[in-house]
Amino acid sequence: MKIALVQMSSQPDRAHNLAEAERLMREAMIGRPDLIVLPEHFDWLGGTIADKRRAADRVPGGEAYVLVQQFAKDNAVWIHAGSLMERRGQDHRVYNTTVVFNAKGEQVGLYRKIHLFDITAPDGKTYSESAAVAPGRDLFIYELDGHRIGCAICYDLRFSRLFDRLAEEKVDIFVLPAAFTHQTGQAHWEVLCRARAIEFQAYFAACGQCGRYAMPDGELRRTFGHSMVCDPWGQIVARAENDVCVLVAEIDLARLPEVRRLIPMAEHRVLLADRQVRLSPGTKPRR
């Protein structure tokens, strides 16, 4: 299987972003991939909370949705459409939503980001995703050429229980569109991507935003880029730098049973949700 990761540098400018997405998808098609993956927020990045609400669009039927849907149909290619901002009726918040299209341009499903990025980074920059975005609830898996692909978005990467739940459903490939900050990416991006591949013995395809975008106050924020594909042994089979590009990776699906035979973790995994945790005398419970 061949996957093409489209690494973008999206801005608070929808027309620019959609033109870039289409241009880069056309570049990706030169290699005839089975699946094209776009990054998180391929349609819009930055702006105020009000800007995000205004930029949010319909699913189905919005401008970004229709662009990707038509491209999938015209080029007979599956597209994992990173994430776009989905309008939710009259609610003041939006969803951060992945939509997946098959090679006929049909929507096969969607995933709404569950873990929202509300942190203060080491450099003091504050990120408050939940001010504009509502969390999703359900996980989503789709099948391509007989192999199961599980969805996650950016900050989800830090929450192994999400991937554990997907792994229970025999997922072969995890796909993670992202817009990791430069600081957190330098510290944690590679180690987390490789860890998820190793601990759940699946391929891990992480497609990131790169470069800089301006906030309304003029502050420049940097994203980390470095899109990558890791095999189930944790080896990096393809990696980008921090510039706009298309990263193409061959997925050797024969590696999955090979690694799983070497270390049969699925057979050894014990479900611990119902296990009692005993505390030694003097150890106080933490709430």
Side-chain angles (χ1 to χ4, degrees):
M1 178 186 293
K2 186 181 288 186
I3 295 182
L5 306 185
V6 174
Q7 184 164 281
M8 296 178 62
S9 181
S10 295
Q11 304 295 318
D13 180 338
R14 167 160 284 165
H16 165 82
N17 298 335
L18 296 189
E20 273 289 275
E22 184 171 17
R23 178 184 72 82
L24 290 164
M25 287 192 294
R26 292 197 183 283
E27 181 180 329
M29 286 305 300
I30 295 170
R32 298 306 304 175
D34 301 290
L35 176 67
I36 294 175
V37 181
L38 295 170
E40 183 183 26
H41 297 313
F42 77 90
D43 64 329
W44 182 275
L45 190 60
T48 64
I49 292 172
D51 290 336
K52 288 178 169 64
R53 292 173 186 159
R54 284 191 294 268
D57 216 338
R58 298 179 305 284
V59 174
E63 188 178 4
Y65 182 103
V66 169
L67 170 78
V68 179
Q69 180 183 44
Q70 193 64 46
F71 190 96
K73 181 179 179 180
D74 291 347
N75 294 275
V77 65
W78 283 67
I79 302 178
H80 188 117
S83 79
L84 50 81
M85 288 188 295
E86 178 191 358
R87 184 179 300 160
R88 39 175 293 168
Q90 300 304 310
D91 197 319
H92 72 286
R93 291 197 296 176
V94 302
Y95 286 120
N96 185 347
T97 303
T98 290
V99 186
V100 179
F101 299 97
N102 67 18
K104 296 178 181 179
E106 300 165 336
Q107 178 183 319
V108 299
L110 58 79
Y111 167 70
R112 298 181 174 112
K113 186 178 182 181
I114 290 174
H115 299 99
L116 302 182
F117 193 55
D118 292 350
I119 75 152
T120 300
D123 62 2
K125 290 183 174 66
T126 299
Y127 298 82
S128 302
E129 187 173 18
S130 66
V133 177
R137 292 183 55 83
D138 299 324
L139 302 179
F140 176 57
I141 296 167
Y142 62 98
E143 201 164 288
L144 173 56
D145 294 337
H147 294 281
R148 295 161 77 84
I149 301 175
C151 298
I153 299 174
C154 200
Y155 191 46
D156 286 334
L157 178 59
R158 295 181 180 274
F159 298 90
S160 61
R161 288 183 179 178
L162 183 151
F163 297 95
D164 194 15
R165 182 67 188 91
L166 291 171
E168 287 179 9
E169 303 298 327
K170 314 300 184 188
V171 163
D172 300 310
I173 304 169
F174 297 115
V175 174
L176 180 102
F180 245 61
T181 72
H182 190 265
Q183 275 199 312
T184 57
Q186 281 185 311
H188 301 144
W189 174 252
E190 179 181 324
V191 69
L192 285 171
C193 290
R194 294 180 67 192
R196 297 294 168 257
I198 294 165
E199 64 190 345
F200 299 113
Q201 297 183 310
Y203 274 92
F204 200 95
C207 182
Q209 289 280 356
C210 66
R212 302 170 185 265
Y213 63 95
M215 295 298 288
D217 61 3
E219 174 198 338
L220 288 178
R221 291 194 167 179
R222 298 173 67 193
T223 48
F224 186 62
H226 292 82
S227 298
M228 66 174 59
V229 177
C230 307
D231 77 3
W233 195 251
Q235 295 177 321
I236 297 171
V237 298
R239 173 165 43 193
E241 297 300 325
N242 191 17
D243 50 7
V244 172
C245 66
V246 174
L247 180 70
V248 179
E250 292 279 358
I251 302 292
D252 179 7
L253 293 166
R255 283 287 283 161
L256 293 165
E258 179 184 315
V259 169
R260 292 166 183 175
R261 278 195 304 271
L262 283 170
I263 306 177
M265 290 176 62
E267 296 174 26
H268 298 159
R269 184 166 281 119
V270 176
L271 299 180
L272 303 174
D274 61 347
R275 301 296 179 95
Q276 182 179 352
V277 178
R278 293 185 174 85
L279 304 178
S280 68
T283 302
K284 297 178 181 178
R286 289 184 176 175
R287 302 298 180 204

